[in-house]
Every structure is written in C-alpha cells, then in structure tokens.
C-alpha cells in the first residue's frame, strides 16, 4: 500500500510501506486492479450496457464488433475464438459489408458452430436496383440467414435507389432496420438524415474525431 505520494520531491518515486515503488509499478498495480474488478464484475454476471433503438425501443448492446480486415480470411478457425468470446461476454452486434472481402462468408461459417445468437448488420455497396438486390441476396446467403436485423447503404453509394429497395425489403420483413453509413463525410450523411426517415446512421466518432458532435449527432437525435 502506498502511504505517501509526492512525485515532485521523490524524483518519480513513491515512498511506500517497507520499500519505495516507482510510478511504472503504480500504473501496473492500477491496471491489475482494474482488470480484477472487471473480471469480478463479469464473474457476477454484470449485464452488458444496452441502449434503446429509437424507432422501436429494442435494447441493443452498446458494444459491437466490426469485421473489416479482421474477418477477411480463409483461416476461419483462427478468428472463431474472437467472435466466440465476444458473444460469450454479452456482445451481439456484428457488422460487415461486401467491401470487406470474405468477412461475410467467415461470419456465416463461424455462426454455424457457435450457440450464441448474433445481431447481424451488413451493407449494400453498388449502383442500380437490380445490382443492389443481387448483392443483398448474396450477403444473406453468405451470412447464412433468411432475414437480417440491419441493412445500410455503404458510403451512400447510389443511396436514393438503394433506399427505395431497403424500404421494400423492410415492408416485406426481409430486414428489420435500414440505415446509411459513411466513413468520413458527415455533411453527406446529414443531407440524408435531414430528408429521409431512417433507423440507423453509422458514422466516424471517437475521442480523436468528435466532429459529429457539432451538427450530425444533434440532427440524428432530433430525427429519432
């Protein structure tokens, strides 16, 4: 236990009971303590944090897993433990796209052998109605499902055409939710958010990239 902390006077050392400990050792202790608390919480069955989907109120885990590069592999056995652990710890949302190579196929193959259900989202990423329908049918086949929780328009490619199809698919029960996605252009996303009724918007947002807070996130909140 640390009895006194005075980095300015101890030259980066912490005077403790019995022997001094360094700042690095203190950080290691803190990390170990945090891990122990997290492990203990999971052992007690602490539930995953969830948030409601505005259009339906359905609760969805706040943490999901993407498949770009990570699941674009033929060595499915090597990545199966990743998805298995994610589902075991209470995650459900698995996101993909035809842009991600073999990711959809790998996800479908992994889920065949995993007991826990996943909440699947993928995207349409092509131009033209017929091409969009063909691509979405192919995605469902690769994922091994007849219906999908969420289909989004990837990077807003031919979004007006694809959105009309998504609405048809939603009305027919082939998808539960529809949305749009873009890796960088918040302005383009906001144009569609302001004009159209959507369930989801996928956008870049992190500690290092908070631009969405200025206009897009408030606009999404206003639109439900």
């Amino acid at each position: 236990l640390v009895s006194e902390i005075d980095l300015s006077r101890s030259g980066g050392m912490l005077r403790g009971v019995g022997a001094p400990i360094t700042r690095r050792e203190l950080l290691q202790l803190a990390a170990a303590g945090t891990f122990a608390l997290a492990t203990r919480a999971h052992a007690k069955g602490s539930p995953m944090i969830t948030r409601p989907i505005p259009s339906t109120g359905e609760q969805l885990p706040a943490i999901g897993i993407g498949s770009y590069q990570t699941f674009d592999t033929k060595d499915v056995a090597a990545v199966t433990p990743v998805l298995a652990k994610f589902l075991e710890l209470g995650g459900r949302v698995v996101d993909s796209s035809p842009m991600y190579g073999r990711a959809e196929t790998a996800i479908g193959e992994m889920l065949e052998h995993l007991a826990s259900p996943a909440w699947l989202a993928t995207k349409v990423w092509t131009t033209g109605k017929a091409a969009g329908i063909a691509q979405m049918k192919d995605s469902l086949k690769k994922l091994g499902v007849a219906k999908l929780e969420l289909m989004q328009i990837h990077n807003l490619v031919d979004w007006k055409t694809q959105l009309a199809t998504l609405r048809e698919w939603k009305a027919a029960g082939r998808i539960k939710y529809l949305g749009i996605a873009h890796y960088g252009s918040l302005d383009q996303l906001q144009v569609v958010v302001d004009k159209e009724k959507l369930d989801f918007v996928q956008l870049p947002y992190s500690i290092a990239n908070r631009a969405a807070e200025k206009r897009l996130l408030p606009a999404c909140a206003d639109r439900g």
Side-chain angles (χ1 to χ4, degrees), residues 124-127 153-162 181-182:
V124 56
W125 181 56
T126 188
T127 58
I153 302 167
H154 202 151
N155 291 345
L156 296 177
V157 174
D158 195 13
W159 70 265
K160 292 182 180 179
T161 301
Q162 307 307 339
H182 205 292

Side-chain angles (χ1 to χ4, degrees), residues 42 81-91 116:
H42 175 62
V82 177
L83 184 58
K85 177 59 69 173
F86 169 76
L87 296 172
E88 176 191 332
L89 294 176
S116 301

